[in-house]
Amino acid sequence: PGEARAIMAGCGSPHARWAALVPADRAGREIARDLHEAAAALGYTLDPVIVVEPTLTDFAMLDPRLPRPWPDGLLIWLEAVPAALSAKHLRNAGFHGHLAGPSRLRSAPFREHAGFALNGFILPRIETDDTTAALAARFETDYQRAFGEPPTPTAALACDAVSLLIHLARRSAPGELHRQFPIREAPPGITGPLEFDRMGNRIVSLRLNQSRHGEWIGFKPMEPASGEQ
């Protein structure tokens, strides 16, 4: 819910009417619950939350399920390709509000399928410091060399998770890895500082980025999203 809360809060108080697209599975039900919690924490309205079947190819079928007048913003919490195609359809249908989604959409498949609808799309990103920014740049170079494409946010998070586990294992006696929890000390991460609360939840500061003419730049509150081709 942290990413959704950052998006809705960062877009400014006038943008209080939000809707959402979520997948039609168990994960989708959990996502819907989290999005409702994020909206409620801000006093915002999230209605409706539309369940999208994985077999959906005609995104015009979403139109009757979206309220009129259009909501001010739409959270697209789908996988990369259906998220991109739904964003493209909504822009073609005349939706000019904010379109936003989770950080994992910052990927080549989303960019390729979204086309013109990428312009104005909003994604959260974890704040980095100089140390983590340098690590991220090196990771991106190494990943590009190894796989021929830039890393996705999921790949970066997975790398941090493995690195953290190795770090904790090296500090532990055999069979006593569990004594490292709650985590009191962690190495710098490539996705940002690795800090955790006593429940094991990661503590992060999020910044909103918006796609403008092929580049991800800092989002300015109240900046309208563009639906122009």
Side-chain angles (χ1 to χ4, degrees):
E3 289 191 317
R5 187 164 58 247
I7 291 168
M8 288 185 280
C11 287
S13 57
H15 298 282
R17 291 181 57 251
W18 288 81
L21 304 180
V22 302
D25 54 19
R26 180 178 179 181
R29 292 192 294 273
E30 294 176 354
I31 291 169
R33 182 196 62 210
D34 288 344
L35 297 183
H36 276 298
E37 289 179 358
L42 296 169
Y44 286 3
T45 299
L46 183 64
D47 182 51
V49 174
I50 298 172
V51 174
V52 179
E53 296 291 339
T55 55
L56 182 66
T57 57
D58 182 6
F59 287 88
M61 295 181 66
L62 298 176
D63 292 351
R65 302 164 66 186
L66 285 166
R68 299 295 191 278
W70 294 105
D72 298 293
L74 185 65
L75 301 171
I76 303 182
W77 239 257
L78 304 172
E79 294 302 315
V81 174
L85 295 178
S86 60
K88 183 182 289 186
H89 168 75
L90 286 161
R91 290 301 190 213
N92 277 326
F95 179 79
H96 295 295
H98 289 301
L99 290 179
S103 58
R104 57 183 167 77
L105 292 183
R106 190 166 178 165
S107 64
F110 182 75
R111 175 184 293 271
E112 292 166 5
H113 287 83
F116 75 90
L118 185 68
N119 196 41
F121 203 92
I122 299 168
L123 296 176
R125 187 173 188 176
I126 298 174
E127 286 270 26
T128 60
D129 55 26
D130 291 343
T131 300
T132 55
L135 291 172
R138 188 171 66 186
F139 172 72
E140 185 170 342
T141 298
D142 292 344
Y143 191 100
Q144 180 81 42
R145 184 183 299 116
F147 300 105
E149 59 183 27
T152 64
T154 301
L157 288 168
C159 183
D160 271 349
V162 172
S163 297
L164 177 60
L165 182 59
I166 292 172
H167 170 80
L168 296 177
R170 285 174 173 170
R171 292 168 52 89
S172 305
E176 294 190 352
L177 179 59
H178 64 282
R179 296 186 181 276
Q180 296 296 324
F181 298 88
I183 299 171
R184 295 173 292 275
E185 180 184 346
I190 59 177
T191 61
L194 298 180
E195 299 177 3
F196 302 86
D197 64 20
R198 292 190 59 81
M199 299 300 294
N201 299 307
R202 187 174 177 186
I203 302 170
V204 296
S205 296
L206 296 174
R207 171 182 292 182
L208 298 187
N209 282 180
Q210 187 172 43
S211 178
R212 289 294 185 186
H213 310 294
E215 299 292 332
W216 291 101
I217 63 174
F219 173 72
K220 298 178 181 179
M222 305 304 299
E223 182 179 355
S226 171
E228 297 178 359
Q229 298 189 28

